[in-house]
């Protein structure tokens, strides 16, 4: 398909970060459309963006006239339309393992730490910042405890989450480790996750997807 790819993204959105990694791993060119999640109450809530995504979330991948939401659905779409290099391994058992690792992050950890959840805690329940930060750390730690146990010593774990080729699980893990560091999680407790993160970030596809490398990232002061 020759249609232009556009990614609606916010520089610090971990869900958008996942998709940027996937696009880069596949060598796909795309235009980035910044959506500032904080400016003017959040540009994702504007009527213009609601027409793009009624969920008022990023990312959205535009492929021609199609508009695709949900990061994991987007990544699997990329894998089906551009199957090489694949983000998923070749066997059903290995694909199930990779999807389980990806969903651990995308469904069990990230939603509890999402901006809209933290804003709800702040605005509706007046939860102070230190308690909100502790909430984030609690759920990341619970998820990372499980992820470390699932990866450490497993015969399928290689340089990356599954073997020696980066894929779907790594697309999810690296952005969540970025969030963990933001909120002061001690990554020394997770040597396997840290090793995989370092291996991923040594690759140009992951390096180019880093939040601080995005055109809408604030200029360092």
């Amino acid at each position: 398909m020759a249609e232009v790819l556009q990614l609606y993204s916010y520089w610090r959105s971990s869900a958008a970060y996942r998709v940027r990694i996937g696009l880069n791993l596949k060598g796909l060119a795309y235009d980035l459309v910044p959506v500032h999640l904080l400016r003017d109450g959040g540009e994702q809530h504007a009527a213009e963006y609601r027409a793009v995504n009624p969920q008022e979330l990023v990312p959205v991948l535009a492929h021609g006239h199609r508009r695709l939401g949900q990061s994991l659905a987007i990544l699997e779409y990329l894998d089906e339309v551009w199957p090489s290099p694949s983000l998923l391994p070749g066997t059903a058992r290995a694909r199930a393992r990779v999807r389980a690792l990806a969903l651990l992050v995308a469904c069990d950890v990230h939603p509890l730490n999402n901006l809209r959840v933290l804003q709800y805690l702040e605005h509706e329940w007046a939860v102070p910042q230190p308690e909100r930060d502790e909430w984030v750390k609690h759920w990341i730690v619970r998820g990372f405890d499980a992820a470390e146990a699932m990866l450490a010593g497993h015969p399928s774990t290689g340089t990356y989450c599954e073997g020696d080729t980066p894929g779907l699980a790594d697309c999810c893990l690296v952005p969540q480790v970025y969030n963990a560091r933001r909120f002061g999680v001690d990554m020394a407790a997770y040597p396997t996750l840290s090793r995989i993160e370092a291996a991923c970030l040594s690759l140009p596809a992951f390096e180019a997807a880093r939040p601080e490398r995005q055109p809408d990232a604030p200029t360092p002061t």
Side-chain angles (χ1 to χ4, degrees), residues 13-207:
S13 161
S14 59
Y17 190 177
R18 296 170 201 151
V19 176
R20 295 196 301 264
I21 295 169
L23 287 162
N24 294 346
L25 284 171
K26 289 186 173 291
L28 296 171
Y30 61 94
D31 296 329
L32 192 140
V33 182
V35 180
H36 202 294
L37 301 187
L38 297 174
R39 183 185 298 136
D40 299 325
E43 293 176 352
Q44 72 275 24
H45 303 309
E48 181 180 2
Y49 188 72
R50 285 202 305 274
V52 174
N53 184 2
Q55 281 194 284
E56 304 175 27
L57 299 171
V58 294
V60 166
L61 182 73
H63 184 200
H65 296 296
R66 291 166 291 281
R67 300 290 184 271
L68 308 170
Q70 293 293 341
S71 62
L72 292 190
I74 294 169
L75 289 168
E76 295 226 22
Y77 175 81
L78 296 178
D79 227 28
E80 292 175 8
V81 178
W82 294 277
S84 182
S86 180
L87 299 177
L88 287 164
T91 68
R93 181 177 298 179
R95 287 194 297 273
R97 177 176 182 265
V98 165
R99 287 186 174 114
L101 289 164
L103 291 167
L104 183 155
V105 170
C107 293
D108 295 338
V109 177
H110 174 248
L112 291 164
N113 303 158
N114 203 329
L115 175 64
R116 60 181 178 170
V117 170
L118 298 180
Q119 288 179 334
Y120 186 86
L121 292 175
E122 178 185 6
H123 299 145
E124 300 300 324
W125 290 350
V127 177
Q129 183 73 55
E131 283 80 356
R132 297 198 306 273
D133 289 350
E134 190 58 36
W135 165 277
V136 171
K137 290 175 66 176
H138 171 80
W139 293 113
I140 292 176
V141 166
R142 288 290 299 272
F144 277 13
D145 286 348
E148 181 72 20
M150 292 165 68
L151 287 162
H154 192 285
S156 293
T157 303
T159 304
Y160 306 103
C161 289
E162 175 70 22
D164 296 323
T165 302
L168 184 71
D170 307 287
C171 291
C172 293
L173 175 64
V174 168
Q176 192 59 60
V177 175
Y178 172 84
N179 281 348
R181 295 187 192 283
R182 275 184 61 210
F183 285 94
V185 173
D186 181 9
M187 289 303 299
Y190 308 107
T192 310
L193 304 188
S194 297
R195 177 186 61 75
I196 293 171
E197 180 211 23
C200 289
L201 291 177
S202 71
L203 301 177
F206 285 82
E207 173 63 28

